[in-house]
Each structure stands twice: as structure tokens, then as C-alpha cells.
């Protein structure tokens, strides 16, 4: 059994998969993916087929965090829909095998873009890639949650009320210093919440370009990854998450479009992306978008506060990067306050 987030007990994984995964021929290689801060993820190579193992990190975890069982369930449910996902193989909830629960899915080869500037991609294909990102997001929100067996994947009631309450508690549980903008934002999200419009769809919870795998040659999405925050909720939270990410600085850390000449790069404006989404879903427009945007800044601030706390406690998947992103908590909080004021 291994409690190290950087390595796996290869012998334990090998033995378990030989017993439980049909067609498994034995490991020839194990490599940890370095991206991400949440659930440690590993490429498993075999003679004929490559898999991905995604596990909970070890140690004391916040309630409801790192829910690999939910990730496995939602991706299994989406297998025959218009939302591209990796094929799921098995879920192991026995902590004694490698030290925490994990699941096995297919490895989906293709291109992953860490930044929307997409270096090396043609101007025309950049636009097509972002448009396919838009198509998949609209398709996700059109999934019939009853038909795929996910109607109980999230509680009923006002999604934003529930989420603001949940992430406020998560933030307080991992708070390391007093941040006035974060306190202001949490209160404003309670005071200014719009009335519930009745939309209840599957939401990804962290929908952004670097969580998508695209075909190696064509501008087509082959898989949406990282479903840890997925639930039944309000679709505009996902849409606003995309716009939130794009308002970040361009570059490896911000991974946004701040400062980029979007037109020259073939990238859409925020308004064009929102309009394309609305057209695909048959919507006339979106009211209160500033609130949905502020909510996403708030949630991201709470998430990276948790990443920082895990780093300080010695449980981060990538400690150095965790300390770096932790500095952005006040920045995200202030962006949230600004979004509400706009």
C-alpha cells in the first residue's frame, strides 16, 4: 500500500487489475500526470492498451472532496450521449489496495491545450476548437438526466444557494488568513442571488479548455476530463466558468486570454461565445450574468485555498505549484467583487 501521491504501488495495482480488469495483460509502465492539483492521475501502459488510474489523495480530506466515485458514475452515464468521455472500466473503493479509492478508464490520445492561445495551431483551427468546446458544453446541458440515470446526482433546490453555502464552508475549513474581499464576496453572493429560473441540468463544475482532449488532427473534442465537481445544477455556472477563465492573464499560470488580441488569434469574444451557446440551446439571452461570473471567481478562490491548505499540510499532489496558485486567492476574490459591481 502506498500513501505517496507521486507514486503508485505498482505490484498492488498489477495484481488487482489482473483479477478485476478483463483483458488486462500486465503493466509495462506507470507515469504520473503532472497537471492538476486534485486527484492524482497516472498513465498505465500495457502491451496492447493504455489506461488511466485516477485516485483520491491520501490523508485527511474535506467532506465531499475528491469524489472519484462520482467521477466514475457520471462518465459511465454519459457513455452513449453527445458528450465525449473516456470509457470507464472499474471503480475500486477498497482503500487497502493502494491507500485510497481509485478508478480505471481508457487513456484517450490526442491534444490537450493548457492555454487558449494554442501555440502551433492555425488561426482557423483555434476558432474551430473553441467552437467545438462550445458545442460540447451545450450538449452537456441538453443531456436528459432522467434518461441517463443521473436525476439523483444532485439535490433539488436553488443550485447557487447550495453551492455558495457549500464552498463558504469549505473555504472557512481551509482558511489560512483573513481576506476582506473574500468575506465581502461571500456575503454579496447571498444578498444578490437571482430568483431560481427552474433550469436543472448536469453541470461539469470545472469546464475549461485544459480539461478537454481534442483529436490529434481535427478540431474535435474526444473527451471531457476531471468531473470531480460535477453535479445537477444550473447550466449558466458552467458557461460563466469559461468566461471567468478567459479573463485571467494569458500564460502558463493564468491560462486565460487577458492581453491577447483575440481577433488576430482567431479566438471569439466573450459575447460571441455566449451567443453561440445560446443559439445552440435555443435561448434568447442570459440575465444576471455578472452574478454567475462572480460565483465562479468565488468558487475558484475557495478551491485554490483548499489547494494551498493541502500544500501547507504536506498533502498536495504538486506542492510547488500549489503554493504558487495559493497566492491568487485574494485576486480571484477581488475579481468576483468587481464582476458583481459591473
Amino acid at each position: 500500500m502506498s500513501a505517496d501521491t507521486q507514486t503508485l504501488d505498482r505490484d498492488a495495482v498489477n495484481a488487482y487489475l489482473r483479477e478485476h480488469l478483463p483483458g488486462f495483460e500486465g503493466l509495462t509502465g506507470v507515469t504520473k500526470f503532472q497537471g492538476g492539483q486534485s486527484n492524482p492521475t497516472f498513465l498505465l501502459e500495457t502491451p496492447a492498451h493504455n489506461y488511466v488510474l485516477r485516485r483520491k489523495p491520501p490523508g485527511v480530506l474535506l467532506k465531499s472532496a475528491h469524489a472519484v466515485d462520482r467521477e466514475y458514475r457520471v462518465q459511465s452515464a454519459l457513455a452513449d450521449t453527445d458528450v465525449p468521455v473516456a470509457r470507464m472500466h472499474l471503480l475500486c473503493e477498497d482503500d487497502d489496495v493502494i491507500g485510497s479509492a481509485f478508478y480505471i478508464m481508457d487513456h484517450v490520445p490526442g491534444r490537450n491545450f493548457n492555454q487558449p492561445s494554442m501555440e502551433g495551431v492555425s488561426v482557423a483551427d483555434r476558432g474551430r476548437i473553441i467552437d467545438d468546446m462550445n458545442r460540447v458544453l451545450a450538449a452537456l446541458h441538453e443531456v436528459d438526466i432522467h434518461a441517463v440515470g443521473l436525476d439523483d446526482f444532485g439535490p433539488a433546490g436553488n443550485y447557487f444557494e447550495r453551492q455558495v453555502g457549500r464552498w463558504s464552508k469549505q473555504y472557512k475549513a481551509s482558511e489560512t488568513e483573513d481576506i476582506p474581499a473574500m468575506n465581502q464576496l461571500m456575503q454579496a453572493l447571498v444578498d444578490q442571488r437571482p430568483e431560481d429560473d427552474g433550469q436543472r441540468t448536469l453541470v461539469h463544475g470545472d469546464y475549461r479548455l485544459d480539461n478537454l482532449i481534442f483529436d490529434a488532427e481535427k478540431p474535435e473534442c474526444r473527451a471531457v476530463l476531471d468531473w470531480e465537481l460535477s453535479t445537477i445544477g444550473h447550466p449558466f455556472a458552467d458557461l460563466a466558468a469559461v468566461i471567468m477563465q478567459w479573463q485571467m492573464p494569458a500564460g502558463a499560470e493564468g491560462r486565460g486570454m487577458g492581453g491577447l488580441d483575440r481577433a488576430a488569434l482567431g479566438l471569439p469574444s466573450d459575447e460571441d461565445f455566449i451567443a453561440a451557446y445560446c443559439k445552440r440551446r435555443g435561448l434568447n439571452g442570459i440575465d444576471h450574468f455578472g452574478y454567475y461570473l462572480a460565483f465562479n471567481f468565488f468558487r475558484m478562490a475557495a478551491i485554490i485555498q483548499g489547494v494551498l491548505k493541502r500544500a501547507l499540510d504536506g498533502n498536495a499532489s504538486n506542492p510547488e505549484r500549489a503554493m504558487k496558485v495559493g497566492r491568487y486567492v485574494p485576486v480571484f476574490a477581488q475579481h468576483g467583487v468587481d464582476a458583481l459591481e459591473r
Side-chain angles (χ1 to χ4, degrees):
M1 181 174 72
S2 172
D4 186 355
T5 64
Q6 303 302 316
T7 61
L8 278 180
D9 185 332
R10 180 168 169 159
D11 291 341
V13 171
N14 216 19
Y16 186 87
L17 296 186
R18 282 189 183 279
E19 183 177 353
H20 295 91
L21 181 58
F24 180 73
E25 299 177 349
L27 294 172
T28 58
V30 175
T31 308
K32 184 177 187 293
F33 292 101
Q34 292 304 312
Q37 285 297 315
S38 187
N39 294 323
T41 307
F42 299 82
L43 174 66
L44 307 183
E45 297 175 88
T46 77
H49 199 82
N50 290 342
Y51 303 92
V52 169
L53 181 151
R54 191 157 158 89
R55 66 177 293 183
K56 279 190 177 186
V60 178
L61 305 175
L62 292 173
K63 183 182 178 183
S64 77
H66 312 283
V68 295
D69 55 330
R70 288 178 61 83
E71 287 194 4
Y72 182 83
R73 180 186 172 191
V74 68
Q75 290 174 98
S76 298
L78 290 171
D80 297 319
T81 70
D82 290 334
V83 182
V85 290
R87 180 187 175 197
M88 299 294 108
H89 288 285
L90 63 85
L91 171 68
C92 175
E93 297 183 274
D94 182 356
D95 290 350
D96 290 337
V97 177
I98 63 168
S100 61
F102 66 92
Y103 67 90
I104 302 292
M105 62 182 172
D106 269 354
H107 174 248
V108 180
R111 295 178 291 175
N112 177 244
F113 302 106
N114 191 46
Q115 302 174 46
S117 53
M118 292 180 264
E119 187 175 344
V121 176
S122 70
V123 170
D125 272 359
R126 284 194 194 106
R128 295 186 185 108
I129 285 168
I130 296 298
D131 190 59
D132 208 53
M133 177 186 184
N134 187 291
R135 176 191 65 80
V136 172
L137 182 62
L140 170 63
H141 297 153
E142 291 296 319
V143 168
D144 185 333
I145 58 175
H146 302 285
V148 300
L150 291 176
D151 47 308
D152 65 342
F153 197 60
N158 189 300
Y159 172 73
F160 292 102
E161 180 179 13
R162 186 170 82 240
Q163 286 284 300
V164 170
R166 172 193 171 185
W167 287 106
S168 295
K169 290 177 183 176
Q170 298 276 50
Y171 173 75
K172 288 296 184 182
S174 57
E175 190 174 24
T176 53
E177 64 174 313
D178 183 65
I179 300 175
M182 192 63 170
N183 298 332
Q184 180 184 351
L185 180 57
M186 284 189 287
Q187 188 58 51
L189 288 171
V190 173
D191 295 340
Q192 298 182 37
R193 186 177 65 245
E195 287 188 23
D196 194 347
D197 63 5
Q199 292 195 69
R200 190 170 184 267
T201 71
L202 180 61
V203 293
H204 180 273
D206 195 17
Y207 194 81
R208 60 191 194 206
L209 187 64
D210 53 306
N211 278 334
L212 309 180
I213 299 293
F214 286 85
D215 187 90
E217 303 294 335
K218 298 176 289 186
E220 295 177 6
C221 180
R222 295 196 61 201
V224 181
L225 307 176
D226 199 357
W227 291 84
E228 182 192 345
L229 299 177
S230 61
T231 187
I232 302 302
H234 200 290
F236 297 162
D238 271 348
L239 178 62
V242 175
I243 305 305
M244 177 208 74
Q245 184 67 48
W246 290 354
Q247 292 189 4
M248 293 293 97
E253 285 195 11
R255 292 178 292 177
M257 293 190 187
L260 296 181
D261 185 341
R262 295 197 194 183
L265 291 171
L267 300 170
S269 66
D270 294 347
E271 293 78 12
D272 287 344
F273 189 86
I274 293 169
Y277 170 89
C278 288
K279 183 177 180 180
R280 283 188 163 107
R281 293 201 60 221
L283 304 173
N284 292 324
I286 298 174
D287 295 327
H288 312 294
F289 195 79
Y291 181 91
Y292 306 132
L293 188 59
F295 163 74
N296 274 281
F297 279 119
F298 155 72
R299 183 172 59 182
M300 186 55 66
I303 289 170
I304 61 178
Q305 180 63 45
V307 170
L308 174 62
K309 184 65 162 60
R310 287 201 303 279
L312 295 172
D313 291 345
N315 291 325
S317 176
N318 186 334
E320 183 179 353
R321 188 166 184 275
M323 296 299 290
K324 279 186 177 180
V325 300
R327 298 198 303 263
Y328 285 93
V329 176
V331 177
F332 275 87
Q334 188 58 53
H335 276 304
V337 170
D338 294 343
L340 277 176
E341 292 176 352
R342 287 199 302 272

